[in-house]
């Protein structure tokens, strides 16, 4: 067989594999969406779940997922960017630094169930945060932080060296250079990375079972004072997220339409992740264009 | 001109020296606090899991060697036996099989994205693969139970559950990790290498096979090992399709367990401090040590890349 | 950027501090209500209750807690899952007011720890062995079940069904459902057989039994429907009447444990669950059997009295 034929065959195989992967994803998405989309309605998205009767919705769960995501980001973004800056700008390339890098990698591949139990015993019990959004956000921080660090490092590394050197040459201090030169340029990368990581937070269940809890107290959506026990904004109330709700319905759901609700909720979850992904891409592209146009 | 600048600078210096240094310190301390928080978190977790996991051996007097090599898992009878080897075997076989399935797919996808059709690949295939990473594992588990298990039940002897189903679900889940790292490796490759190969008259496949693959091998391996590590720690999806019998199976289509599925199944049902609960923490400790081993392997591979 | 960071951090701090303050207020109001324990005047009740544990009991407690909170606006009740073991641990260590459990505390905790807990039996759950609809069996004797779950019988034709291999869909050995089934249906502990399936979640068990040829498992009565075949046990059908009159033995209490005597709000909540209104309402509707209906009683050791 001539080299050219082999080349053609190999190219064909690679094409086929790429097509196959696309098919897997389309199949997966199609399966989830087709089963679930029919169940999605305004009522389903806004009303509270029912434990026995049919016709329950996922309103509070949807709100909880989004709110938990916001809380987690409020905690992780400053911390993660700070740690990322340290790793890429301040840390000297020595044993200590490579040790910290190792630690970050370990943290990112930790099984989520262990993080959940750690959260139960330390955050929920020892620190007394209780089953609450706050405990859940902290547990998710443990997952999200390594990703944020890696993303920030990547973003800062992508900044052309000349930019940094030019800033130093102007006599601008290091911190100011990082703040006003490096970070703005790295923002598109950091931003889209953050949103992609957010998609993973959205789908996490195992760690939240033991920290944010599996039930949602009755919420009063007219009360927006975050200090009231019934306010949806109170971070110290328990909150069942969408992924946890799907898990719960699949395992112990008693409502007659449990399967449909699980399917509908999965579809909603997938759509949210899809929106996050596309949003991240669009935003990254927009910011990239904006920055390069300004140059 | 120069003089005036100098004058101005010295004037400014007197005025701004202090806030300047202070600002520098703010940055340093702030980032240091962040990194310290990160390190403290991981250490408290390691300490926590280790102290709980070791109490099985210290407080309950279970022999560590028996735990690692025992074949019989029967924690709830009067004379309990704790043999975790089936779980360790299950974890390893599913994760490695998943990597064997996902690695060629990931490599081909990376080649497609970087070499064959960059435009289509970057704007369509890559987002599609990254999307796979965003699908929650509960949903993966449910799809696995509703689609893959019945399919395997019809195609192969057995009930469809088992290592094969688990590995297949996991391979889709770790595909993004492997592909992303492979894509980065391929696009970082110096253009001269490939061009040299083409100049010698090599076809594209020959170039990929003889130049690109060998030079990027360490990074490919890093991606694969990271994928295995992720598969190792995955719980909910695997638990739904693997069957969870604490035995080493005779075929790929027979019920078996992994470390994570054993932990998730029983952790909530057992009371803290009891030997049944402690031994689950020991499984978690094994899992954590394995994560460390994987990370060391990754660092070793990355170290080799620099040579 | 720095400004943003400062604002974000300040926000986090304020919110968490404020919420901490809020929580203190809650707990102090709990102790207030203890002082003026007026259980009959439900409007005066206040406090917060955390009920953690059994996922099998969770739907009931959750449903009842909603009604209770409607009637007593000062009380807030959280119901969490996590498993019987978690519930018992949290209750005995005082982190939760109520620990929900499928089993007696003595089966999970040390004797001295279990002694600190007070048992409140709120409902009864009965279980039936279920099979795939195709196996051709509608009842088994105790001995046949034992033979199946210990692996002595591996084909349905040995117990009067079709020529089909038996696939066991069991629960994990730590599960309360399994310990009930083993204790009262089999009368013996069994080992996990090679090739058997272990799933903790009733939904997953039902799905597997209804789809896997030759499958046998067991489910609480509330999960039974047309997709699986419920089996007679020694010729007795698994119905509510047969359970309450004592002729069907595979059932267990659902327990809500408190550490020592409960405080006013918790006691009122437990009383409310035990009231006729709930026992004949939510309990029945959710597929549990009211504890008050039982004509037989059973203690932790399994001794049955009429």
């Amino acid at each position: 067989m001539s080299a050219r034929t082999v080349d053609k065959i190999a190219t064909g195989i690679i094409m086929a594999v790429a097509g196959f992967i696309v098919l897997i994803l389309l199949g997966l998405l199609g399966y989830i969406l087709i089963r679930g989309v029919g169940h999605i309605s305004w009522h389903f998205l806004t009303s509270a779940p029912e434990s026995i009767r049919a016709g329950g919705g996922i309103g509070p769960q949807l709100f909880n997922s989004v709110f938990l995501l916001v809380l987690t980001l409020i905690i992780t973004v400053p911390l993660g960017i700070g740690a990322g800056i340290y790793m890429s700008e301040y840390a000297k390339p020595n044993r200590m630094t490579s040790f910290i890098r190792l630690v970050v990698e370990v943290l990112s591949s930790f099984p989520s169930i262990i993080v959940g139990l750690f959260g139960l015993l330390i955050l929920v019990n020892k620190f007394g945060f209780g089953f609450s959004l706050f405990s859940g956000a902290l547990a998710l921080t443990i997952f999200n932080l390594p990703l944020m660090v890696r993303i920030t490092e990547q973003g800062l590394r992508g900044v052309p060296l000349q930019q940094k050197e030019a800033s130093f040459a102007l006599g601008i201090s290091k911190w100011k250079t990082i703040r006003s030169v490096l970070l703005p340029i790295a923002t598109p990368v950091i931003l889209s990375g953050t949103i992609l990581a957010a998609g993973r937070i959205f789908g996490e269940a195992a760690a939240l079972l033991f920290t944010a809890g599996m039930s949602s107290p009755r919420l009063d959506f007219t009360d927006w004072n975050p200090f009231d026990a019934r306010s949806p904004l109170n971070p110290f109330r328990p909150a069942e997220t969408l992924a946890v709700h799907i898990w719960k319905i699949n395992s112990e759901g008693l409502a007659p339409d449990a399967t449909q609700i699980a399917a509908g909720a999965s579809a909603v979850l997938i759509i949210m992740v899809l929106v996050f992904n596309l949003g991240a891409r669009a935003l990254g592209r927009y910011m990239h264009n904006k920055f390069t146009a300004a140059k | 001109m120069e003089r005036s600048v100098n004058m101005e600078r010295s004037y400014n210096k007197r005025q701004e020296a202090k806030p300047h240094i202070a600002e520098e310190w703010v940055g340093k301390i702030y980032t240091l606090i962040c990194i310290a928080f990160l390190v403290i978190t991981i250490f408290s977790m390691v300490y926590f899991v280790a102290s709980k996991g070791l109490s099985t051996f210290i407080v309950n007097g279970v022999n560590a060697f028996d735990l690692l090599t025992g074949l019989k898992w029967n924690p709830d009878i009067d004379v309990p036996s704790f043999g975790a080897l089936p779980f360790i075997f299950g974890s390893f076989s599913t994760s490695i099989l998943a990597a064997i399935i996902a690695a060629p797919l990931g490599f081909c996808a990376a080649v497609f994205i970087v070499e064959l059709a960059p435009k289509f690949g970057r704007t369509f295939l890559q987002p599609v693969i990254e999307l796979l990473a965003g699908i929650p594992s509960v949903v993966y588990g449910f799809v696995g139970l509703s689609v893959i298990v019945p399919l395997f039940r019809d195609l192969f002897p057995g009930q469809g559950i088992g290592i094969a189903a688990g590995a297949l679900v996991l391979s889709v889940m770790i595909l993004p990790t492997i592909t992303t790292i492979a894509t980065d490796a391929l696009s970082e490759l110096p253009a001269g290498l490939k061009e040299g190969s083409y100049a010698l008259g090599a076809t594209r496949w020959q170039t990929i096979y003889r130049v690109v693959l060998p030079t990027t091998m360490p990074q490919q391996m890093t991606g694969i090992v990271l994928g295995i590590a992720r598969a190792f720690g995955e719980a909910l999806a695997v638990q739904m399709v693997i069957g969870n019998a604490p035995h080493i199976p005779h075929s790929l289509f027979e019920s078996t367990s992994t470390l994570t599925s054993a932990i998730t199944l029983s952790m909530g049902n057992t009371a803290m401090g009891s030997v049944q609960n402690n031994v689950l923490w020991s499984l978690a400790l094994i899992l954590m040590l394995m994560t460390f081993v994987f990370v060391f392997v990754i660092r070793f591979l990355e170290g080799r890349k620099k040579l | 950027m720095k400004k943003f960071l400062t604002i974000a951090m300040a926000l986090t701090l304020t919110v968490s501090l404020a919420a901490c303050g809020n929580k203190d207020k809650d707990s102090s109001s709990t102790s207030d209500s203890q002082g003026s324990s007026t259980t009959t005047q439900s409007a005066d009740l206040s406090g917060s209750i955390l009920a953690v544990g059994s996922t099998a009991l969770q739907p009931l407690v959750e449903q009842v807690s909603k009604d209770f909170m409607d009637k007593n606006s000062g009380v807030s009740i959280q119901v969490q899952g996590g498993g019987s073991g978690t519930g018992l641990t949290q209750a005995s260590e005082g982190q939760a007011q109520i620990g929900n459990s499928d089993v007696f505390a003595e089966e999970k905790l040390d004797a001295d720890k279990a002694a600190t807990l007070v048992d409140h039996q709120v409902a009864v759950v009965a279980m039936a062995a279920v099979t795939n609809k195709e196996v051709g069996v509608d009842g088994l004797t105790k001995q046949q079940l034992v033979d199946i779950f210990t692996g002595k019988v591996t084909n349905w034709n040995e117990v009067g069904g079709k020529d089909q291999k038996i696939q066991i869909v069991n629960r994990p050995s730590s599960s309360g459902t399994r310990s009930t089934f083993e204790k009262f249906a089999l009368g013996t502990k069994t080992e996990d057989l090679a090739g058997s399936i272990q799933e903790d979640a009733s939904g997953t068990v039902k799905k597997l039994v209804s789809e896997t040829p030759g499958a046998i498992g067991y489910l609480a009565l509330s999960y039974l429907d047309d997709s699986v075949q419920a089996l007679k046990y020694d010729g007795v059908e698994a119905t509510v009447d047969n359970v309450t009159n004592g002729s069907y033995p595979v059932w267990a209490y659902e327990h809500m444990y408190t550490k020592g005597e409960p405080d006013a709000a918790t006691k009122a909540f437990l009383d409310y669950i035990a009231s006729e209104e709930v026992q004949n309402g939510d309990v029945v509707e959710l597929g549990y059997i009211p504890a008050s209906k039982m004509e037989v009683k059973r203690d932790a050791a399994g001794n049955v009295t009429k």
Side-chain angles (χ1 to χ4, degrees):
Chain A
M1 206 163 16
S2 79
R4 211 155 283 279
T5 338
V6 176
D7 182 51
K8 282 223 176 86
I9 294 171
T11 311
I13 290 174
I14 290 170
M15 292 282 206
V17 167
F20 178 63
I21 292 173
V22 175
L23 272 184
I24 291 179
L25 187 96
L26 289 184
L28 253 173
L29 285 185
Y31 182 78
I32 296 160
L33 289 178
I34 288 170
R35 283 184 73 242
V37 162
H39 201 73
I40 299 177
S41 64
W42 183 244
H43 171 79
F44 180 66
L45 290 179
T46 51
S47 57
E50 292 279 350
S51 19
I52 335 164
R53 287 166 281 272
I58 52 164
Q61 281 73 21
L62 197 59
F63 176 83
N64 288 341
S65 287
V66 176
F67 187 43
L68 185 63
L69 180 69
V70 172
L71 269 183
T72 312
L73 289 183
I74 289 178
I75 301 172
T76 25
V77 168
L79 274 175
I81 291 184
I85 291 173
Y86 183 87
M87 292 304 288
S88 90
E89 301 300 321
Y90 287 101
K92 294 176 193 71
N94 55 18
R95 244 166 215 281
M96 192 58 198
T97 314
S98 64
F99 177 73
I100 292 176
R101 248 192 213 117
L102 179 102
V103 162
V104 171
E105 264 165 43
V106 172
L107 204 56
S108 70
S109 42
F110 241 54
S112 53
I113 177 97
I114 297 186
V115 176
L117 288 157
F118 176 77
L120 173 68
L121 294 178
I122 301 296
L123 301 171
V124 175
N125 288 346
K126 199 156 250 170
F127 291 168
F129 296 137
F131 285 96
S132 67
L133 279 165
F134 191 65
S135 304
L138 286 179
L140 287 180
T141 300
I142 298 176
F143 281 115
N144 212 23
L145 210 48
L147 285 171
M148 280 305 300
V149 173
R150 201 182 286 170
I151 291 159
T152 311
E153 255 196 284
Q154 241 172 37
L156 291 177
R157 288 247 177 78
V159 177
L161 203 59
Q162 293 95 314
Q163 299 259 20
K164 201 163 130 189
E165 280 165 357
S167 173
F168 284 146
L170 288 171
I172 294 172
S173 74
K174 194 167 182 179
W175 178 238
K176 186 134 183 132
T177 307
I178 295 171
R179 225 155 33 100
S180 44
V181 179
L182 299 189
L183 271 184
I185 300 178
T187 303
V189 179
I190 297 178
L191 197 72
S192 55
T194 309
I195 298 179
L196 281 180
R200 243 187 107 185
I201 302 180
F202 222 76
E204 178 56 45
L208 290 177
L209 291 177
F210 295 97
T211 51
M214 284 171 69
S215 74
S216 189
R218 195 159 280 190
L219 298 177
D220 180 1
F221 276 94
T222 52
D223 179 1
W224 295 100
N225 177 0
F227 309 126
D228 285 353
R230 283 203 179 185
S231 164
L233 285 184
N234 183 352
F236 281 85
R237 65 179 176 88
E240 186 189 33
T241 66
L242 209 50
V244 173
H245 190 61
I246 295 174
W247 184 84
K248 186 170 128 189
I249 295 185
N250 268 339
S251 41
E252 310 288 339
L254 277 173
D257 56 349
T259 8
Q260 286 98 301
I261 291 179
S266 306
V268 172
L269 199 57
I270 293 287
I271 293 171
M272 296 293 282
V273 173
L274 212 68
V275 167
F276 266 105
N277 264 269
L278 297 177
R281 249 153 241 292
L283 201 63
R285 212 177 302 130
Y286 170 73
M287 294 195 62
H288 182 77
N289 288 341
K290 209 175 141 201
F291 279 111
T292 41
K295 240 191 259 175
Chain B
M1 184 68 195
E2 206 169 76
R3 242 184 88 156
S4 73
V5 166
N6 259 344
M7 265 176 70
E8 202 170 77
R9 192 188 280 165
S10 62
Y11 173 76
N12 275 348
K13 214 175 194 174
R14 227 167 290 144
Q15 291 265 301
E16 284 184 2
K18 274 205 173 145
H20 216 72
I21 292 174
E23 194 188 59
E24 199 61 19
W25 273 102
V26 167
K28 226 173 203 169
I29 289 172
Y30 169 62
T31 54
L32 206 62
I33 289 173
C34 291
I35 203 81
F37 178 83
L38 189 66
V39 176
I40 290 171
T41 311
I42 183 102
F43 270 98
S44 49
M45 273 194 74
V46 172
Y47 171 77
F48 177 77
V49 175
S51 67
K52 284 224 144 217
L54 289 176
S55 65
T56 315
F57 313 122
I58 298 163
V59 181
N60 306 109
V62 174
N63 187 325
F65 184 75
D66 288 349
L67 182 77
L68 286 175
T69 56
L71 285 169
K72 214 171 151 114
W73 177 263
N74 213 341
D76 283 275
I77 51 170
D78 296 335
V79 189
S81 46
F82 304 102
L85 191 63
F87 304 142
I88 299 173
F89 175 84
S91 276
F92 268 106
S93 48
T94 33
S95 327
I96 289 171
L97 193 63
I100 291 174
I101 302 171
L105 294 182
F107 179 70
C108 286
V111 170
F112 183 85
I113 291 169
V114 179
E115 308 283 338
L116 292 188
K119 194 138 188 253
F120 176 75
R122 290 250 181 236
T123 54
F124 187 71
L125 188 59
Q126 203 170 13
V128 158
I129 290 172
E130 275 169 19
L131 194 60
L132 286 173
I135 298 178
S137 56
V138 197
V139 175
Y140 271 116
F142 188 70
V143 173
L145 191 61
S146 315
V147 178
I148 296 178
V149 170
L151 184 75
F152 278 9
R153 191 186 295 140
D154 293 341
L155 291 180
F156 302 101
Q159 301 300 349
I161 48 162
I163 291 178
L168 201 61
V169 170
L170 281 175
S171 67
V172 181
M173 296 180 79
I174 65 174
L175 191 59
T177 314
I178 294 181
T179 313
T180 310
I181 292 174
T183 311
D184 288 347
L186 290 188
S187 46
E188 276 167 18
L189 203 66
L193 264 179
K194 270 186 303 185
E195 278 158 15
S197 168
Y198 286 135
L200 288 171
T203 62
R204 182 157 55 194
W205 174 245
Q206 281 169 329
T207 309
I208 291 169
Y209 185 66
R210 306 211 179 234
V211 180
V212 176
L213 188 58
T215 24
T216 58
M217 205 53 187
Q219 273 158 297
Q220 309 280 1
M221 286 309 292
T222 308
I224 293 169
V225 175
L226 265 180
I228 295 179
R230 175 132 197 244
F232 216 77
E234 174 52 47
L236 288 181
V238 182
Q239 188 219 307
M240 285 174 90
V241 297
I242 202 158
N244 305 310
H247 294 279
I248 293 181
H250 299 98
S251 84
L252 292 177
F253 304 98
E254 193 181 304
S255 173
T256 182
S257 285
T258 66
L259 288 166
T260 44
S261 76
I263 296 172
T264 6
L265 269 185
S266 294
M267 196 54 114
N269 290 329
T270 50
M272 300 276 169
S274 63
V275 61
Q276 289 87 351
N277 189 260
N278 284 340
V279 78
L280 294 175
W281 283 102
S282 303
L283 296 187
L285 184 64
I286 296 174
L287 202 59
M288 199 168 75
L289 293 178
M290 289 314 306
T291 317
F292 274 110
V293 170
F294 281 125
V295 171
F296 274 117
V297 172
I298 296 168
R299 303 218 67 86
F300 173 72
L301 293 170
E302 281 180 347
R304 252 189 10 182
K305 183 183 86 185
K306 280 176 199 123
L307 290 176
Chain C
M1 194 66 202
K2 191 172 142 202
K3 233 180 233 163
F4 168 70
L5 295 185
T6 335
I7 293 171
M9 288 191 90
L11 254 176
T12 327
L13 247 159
T14 346
V15 168
S16 49
L17 279 177
C20 285
N22 194 36
K23 215 168 132 216
D24 288 345
K25 205 168 66 199
D26 273 359
S27 52
S28 65
S29 57
T30 316
S31 51
D32 281 348
S33 75
Q34 271 175 326
S36 61
S37 70
T38 44
T39 18
T40 41
Q41 268 288 356
S42 57
D44 290 353
L45 279 174
S46 65
S48 63
I49 304 169
L50 174 62
V52 187
S54 159
T55 42
L57 188 52
Q58 199 189 353
L60 173 66
V61 182
E62 217 169 317
Q63 183 67 29
V64 176
S65 74
K66 280 182 195 162
D67 300 341
F68 187 75
M69 283 190 282
D70 284 345
K71 289 182 178 142
N72 302 277
S73 53
V75 182
S76 83
I77 303 172
Q78 290 181 25
V79 188
Q80 304 294 351
S84 303
T86 311
L88 290 169
T89 319
Q90 299 266 319
S92 77
E93 285 171 7
Q95 276 127 359
Q97 280 73 33
I98 300 174
N100 298 334
S101 173
D102 302 336
V103 293
F104 280 95
E106 289 81 359
E107 293 180 34
K108 293 276 177 196
L109 299 174
D110 305 338
D112 45 334
K113 260 193 195 163
T116 66
L117 294 174
V118 180
D119 190 5
H120 306 266
Q121 295 165 353
V122 294
V124 165
V125 163
M127 272 156 239
V130 291
T131 62
N132 187 274
K133 294 202 110 173
E134 309 293 314
V135 301
V137 169
D138 68 347
L140 290 171
T141 64
K142 178 177 179 177
Q143 191 52 46
Q144 284 172 325
L145 274 175
V146 173
D147 287 346
I148 289 174
F149 277 91
T150 51
K152 273 195 206 110
V153 166
T154 54
N155 195 308
W156 282 111
N157 62 16
E158 293 172 66
V159 290
K162 291 182 187 163
D163 180 19
Q164 200 168 41
K165 206 169 163 288
I166 295 176
Q167 173 63 47
I168 298 169
V169 183
N170 217 332
R171 309 284 178 128
S173 53
S174 57
S175 148
T177 313
R178 170 153 168 187
S179 87
T180 304
F181 186 77
E182 286 182 342
K183 215 165 172 180
F184 303 116
L186 306 179
T188 169
K189 290 249 172 202
T190 57
E191 291 182 11
D192 294 329
L193 300 170
S196 68
I197 299 173
Q198 256 87 269
E199 288 293 347
D200 199 22
S202 305
T204 318
V205 169
K206 187 162 106 182
K207 191 171 162 64
L208 278 167
V209 171
S210 66
E211 290 174 2
T212 311
I216 181 169
Y218 40 93
L219 286 168
L221 294 192
S222 48
Y223 290 95
L224 296 182
D225 61 17
D226 295 342
S227 65
V228 290
Q229 168 75 49
L231 297 183
K232 289 191 198 114
Y233 177 77
D234 277 340
V236 183
E237 217 170 317
T239 59
V240 174
D241 289 339
N242 285 339
V243 175
T244 49
N245 68 27
S247 51
Y248 186 81
V250 193
W251 55 270
Y253 291 111
E254 290 294 335
H255 312 260
M256 291 174 79
Y257 280 99
T258 54
K259 186 168 186 172
E261 281 305 318
D263 62 37
T266 312
K267 186 166 187 323
F269 179 54
L270 290 168
D271 287 346
Y272 181 64
I273 294 186
S275 71
E276 282 299 309
E277 179 194 350
V278 174
Q279 292 283 319
N280 294 327
D282 285 336
V283 171
V284 175
E285 206 176 332
L286 279 162
Y288 303 85
I289 299 165
S292 54
K293 281 264 159 40
M294 295 301 294
E295 289 160 29
V296 288
K297 295 237 170 315
R298 196 188 262 157
D299 62 12
N303 302 315
V304 176
T305 47
K306 269 258 178 197

